[in-house]
Amino acid sequence: MDKKRLTAFILIVLVTLGVVAGTSLPIAQSIKLGLDLKGGFEILYVASPLEEGTEVTQDSLRETARSLEERVNKLGTTEPEITPEGTDRIRVKIAGVTNEAEVREILNKPAELTFRGPDGTKEMLGSDFVQGGASVQFDQAGQPYIQLQVKNAEKFRQVTEKLLGQPLAIYLDEKELSAPIVQSVIANGQASITGRYTFNEAKEIADVINLGALPLKLTEKYTQSVGATLGQQSLEQTLLAGVVGLIVILLFMVVVYRIPGLLASISILAFTWLLLLAFRLMGVTLTLPGIAAFVLGIGMAVDANIITYERIKDEIRSGKKVSSALRAGSKNSFRTIMDANLTTIIAAAVILFLGSSSVKGFGVILIASIVASIITNVFFSRLLLSLLVRSRAVEHPKYFGVKEDEISAL
């Protein structure tokens, strides 16, 4: 018996189980839950311009979504999901909301862009600026600045004359974006906002000014509310089903495949931990479809082990020694496993790029589960089995679920 390999095997197993047992619960508790598990509401808005003769653009839609997110964040609501969809729609998902009526009232207000003097007086509105007239330019030193154009040159001249040498602050709702100083009286309706801006900062201000020149009206197209009690009940039932299913799978693997099944169970536990860690690092919001993808990933992880172990058992039945059967079985099953995982990744990618927002989460988690499965249930499980077999601690076929009378003579 090779004691070094056996010791390495035992240490790896103990460290793995210790890490999984010690960190799984804190990691799981830190994962964000969707509104179908935590309670909350979802609204699909249809955007339309307030002014006749104008259109909804992708820039205005994106800036409106960002404005809505900032409003919700001010209310103390955590992790809202607000995303533009198509050409004129915005989907809002907010979990854990207790004051739904207040949040919806604030969301329905059009974004308001204002230019204010030092005393807070609204000197100009976003509608005073030419649609799409704000752009980012660069001076001779390569420093970005914002070039803009107003509709009423005389009004702008009066404002700049009134506030000469004073700041004319730019606000989106009640958030101050910038406070440039009026350095001269501007009579031609074209102005420049200069400062030590980065390109991204200058572009953000220009986009917001263009949004103000084209404010959008939001109309509710679809709404769904999930109570906190119902969400908690769904979460508890889903977790119970997942735990029961995982226990049944682990028992099945140990009964049918003996020692390899026990190692597969350790790999599946490592897979579950790794996937939870990936959710935490990626900032994934877990929903019921996401949990379905999670459970499906566990099933696929088990498949990888079953394909490998069945191939090893076939090699042992053909009369090969355990070590030779391990090499041959692992080699011959690898391509099958990778082909199956690759086709599933392709299907998940199609779901991710073409599906709706709720289905996209299923695709993301399914891809993450396949990657985690390859790491743990292909490479990690084979490492454990290889160490154990090469230590010569499990050389008898019965440890692999193969009976003596099933083995053919060479």
Side-chain angles (χ1 to χ4, degrees), residues 311-326:
R311 197 59 193 252
I312 292 174
K313 289 172 69 175
D314 288 342
E315 298 292 342
I316 294 176
R317 291 189 185 103
S318 70
K320 292 182 180 179
K321 292 183 178 180
V322 170
S323 57
S324 299
L326 173 62

Side-chain angles (χ1 to χ4, degrees), residues 61-81:
L61 201 65
R62 184 172 57 253
E63 291 301 322
T64 300
R66 185 167 61 182
S67 174
L68 292 179
E69 184 173 358
E70 291 176 352
R71 292 181 185 182
V72 174
N73 287 334
K74 290 179 181 178
L75 297 174
T77 303
T78 58
E79 305 296 345
E81 293 184 47

Side-chain angles (χ1 to χ4, degrees), residues 37-55:
L37 297 175
K38 193 176 181 181
F41 70 94
E42 174 183 355
I43 303 176
L44 179 63
Y45 288 109
V46 175
S48 58
L50 286 177
E51 297 182 1
E52 295 183 1
T54 57
E55 298 179 353

Side-chain angles (χ1 to χ4, degrees), residues 74 81 84 93 124-125 181 199-200 206 220 226 230 232 251-252 262 270 280 339 352 359-360 369 380 406:
K74 290 179 181 178
E81 293 184 47
K93 292 182 180 181
M124 302 192 73
L125 303 177
I181 304 297
F199 174 78
N200 289 335
E220 290 188 12
V226 179
L230 180 60
Q232 183 65 29
L251 289 176
F252 170 82
L262 180 61
R280 175 68 181 86
D339 285 348
L352 178 61
V359 178
K360 285 182 178 180
S369 66
F380 181 65
E406 296 177 342

Side-chain angles (χ1 to χ4, degrees), residues 206-272:
D207 288 343
V208 170
I209 294 174
N210 286 330
L211 166 66
L214 183 60
L216 300 181
K217 176 184 177 182
L218 299 178
T219 305
E220 290 188 12
K221 180 72 174 179
Y222 161 84
T223 182
Q224 176 187 13
S225 297
V226 179
T229 302
L230 180 60
Q232 183 65 29
Q233 183 179 3
S234 299
L235 178 61
E236 292 174 355
Q237 292 176 345
T238 304
L239 291 178
L240 177 61
V243 170
V244 172
L246 182 61
I247 292 174
V248 171
I249 289 173
L250 299 183
L251 289 176
F252 170 82
M253 294 299 293
V254 172
V255 170
V256 175
Y257 296 101
R258 309 296 172 83
I259 294 298
L262 180 61
L263 301 185
S265 299
I266 297 172
S267 298
I268 292 171
L269 292 176
F271 160 80
T272 305

Side-chain angles (χ1 to χ4, degrees), residues 139-156:
D139 58 21
Q140 294 180 350
Q143 180 67 33
Y145 67 93
I146 301 99
Q147 182 77 33
L148 53 85
Q149 185 175 358
V150 298
K151 296 177 180 177
N152 189 330
E154 177 58 25
K155 178 180 179 180
F156 194 50

